[in-house]
Amino acid sequence: MGSVIGDLLPLAVGVAVSPIPIIAAILMLLSKRAGSTSVGFALGWILGIVVATVIFVLLSSKLGDSEGDPSATVSWIKLALGVLLLAFGVKQWRGRGGEHETPKWMQAIDDMTAAKGLGLGFALAAINPKNLMMCIAAGISIGSASLGSGEVVVAVLVFTIIAASTVCVPVIGYLVAAERLRGPLAKLKVWLQDNNATVMSVLILVIGVVLIGKGIGGL
């Protein structure tokens, strides 16, 4: 169980510090429907992480060998995910510093409802390729480890809490002390927009290398 949690930590941090959902959450908190939209977004973000992870927990639970150890297939999947993340990281690193047009969905956040916020949160967690690959890797690590059902639930819960924390904590904090957090959140949004590509590319490169190492180690 401890080794599985250790494998999950860098993946959970990778999802947690993804700047785009954090920027989206902050924009919602600064919008005219701050309370309802941001709560919907946070719920969608959590749901997306759980669904994407659990699907691959269930799929990968069949990949262990007869002694309960991860099979070579699991190692090859981790290796492939690591290579894909490295490719994403290199592409994002090369594109840093350039002019990037604000996505249309960000421009429409001020008029979003709670339902649309929930859908956006789910999409950014479960469909966005970079986050999805980290959820896949987490699901494979959990599902192939021959854990008991209770341990699987704990592992998914730990991964989800850490991965969702950077979106949920500002939302909860804003609901408690809205006026006090408005200024710091606005400054954080600007910093994340300016450093989005650099932060994410470095993080993806590191996690890609970790997954490649895990994959090679299991072959």
Side-chain angles (χ1 to χ4, degrees), residues 38-73:
S38 62
V39 170
F41 180 78
L43 292 175
W45 179 247
I46 294 170
L47 183 62
I49 292 170
V50 171
V51 169
T53 304
V54 169
I55 286 173
F56 287 94
V57 168
L58 297 175
L59 291 175
S60 62
S61 63
K62 307 298 182 183
L63 297 179
D65 61 27
S66 58
E67 296 180 353
D69 295 323
S71 68
T73 303

Side-chain angles (χ1 to χ4, degrees), residues 16-207:
V17 301
S18 180
I20 295 300
I22 301 175
I23 293 172
I26 293 172
L27 288 173
M28 289 178 187
L29 291 172
L30 299 176
S31 71
K32 58 187 179 184
R33 294 191 182 100
S36 60
T37 308
S38 62
V39 170
F41 180 78
L43 292 175
W45 179 247
I46 294 170
L47 183 62
I49 292 170
V50 171
V51 169
T53 304
V54 169
I55 286 173
F56 287 94
V57 168
L58 297 175
L59 291 175
S60 62
S61 63
K62 307 298 182 183
L63 297 179
D65 61 27
S66 58
E67 296 180 353
D69 295 323
S71 68
T73 303
V74 172
S75 298
W76 280 112
I77 292 173
K78 288 182 179 180
L79 185 59
L81 289 172
V83 171
L84 286 172
L85 283 171
L86 275 181
F88 267 111
V90 170
K91 181 180 179 181
Q92 194 148 7
W93 178 263
R94 288 179 174 175
R96 74 193 190 286
E99 293 293 329
H100 298 283
E101 184 180 353
T102 303
K104 291 183 178 180
W105 60 264
M106 277 192 179
Q107 298 174 14
I109 278 179
D110 198 50
D111 296 317
M112 274 190 181
T113 61
K116 289 181 179 179
L118 188 147
L120 177 61
F122 184 89
L124 288 177
I127 301 175
N128 178 277
K130 288 169 283 190
N131 286 339
L132 177 59
M133 282 191 284
M134 285 183 269
C135 289
I136 291 172
I140 290 171
S141 295
I142 296 168
S144 62
S146 299
L147 300 175
S149 57
E151 292 176 317
V152 168
V153 171
V154 170
V156 172
L157 186 61
V158 169
F159 176 75
T160 302
I161 289 173
I162 297 173
S165 61
T166 49
V167 167
C168 294
V169 169
V171 171
I172 294 170
Y174 189 86
L175 294 176
V176 174
E179 292 304 319
R180 189 175 301 175
L181 289 178
R182 186 176 291 272
L185 286 174
K187 292 179 181 178
L188 178 60
K189 182 201 73 170
V190 172
W191 187 89
L192 287 171
Q193 287 175 326
D194 291 342
N195 296 278
N196 171 25
T198 302
V199 170
M200 204 60 206
S201 58
V202 171
L203 186 69
I204 290 174
L205 287 169
V206 171
I207 294 175

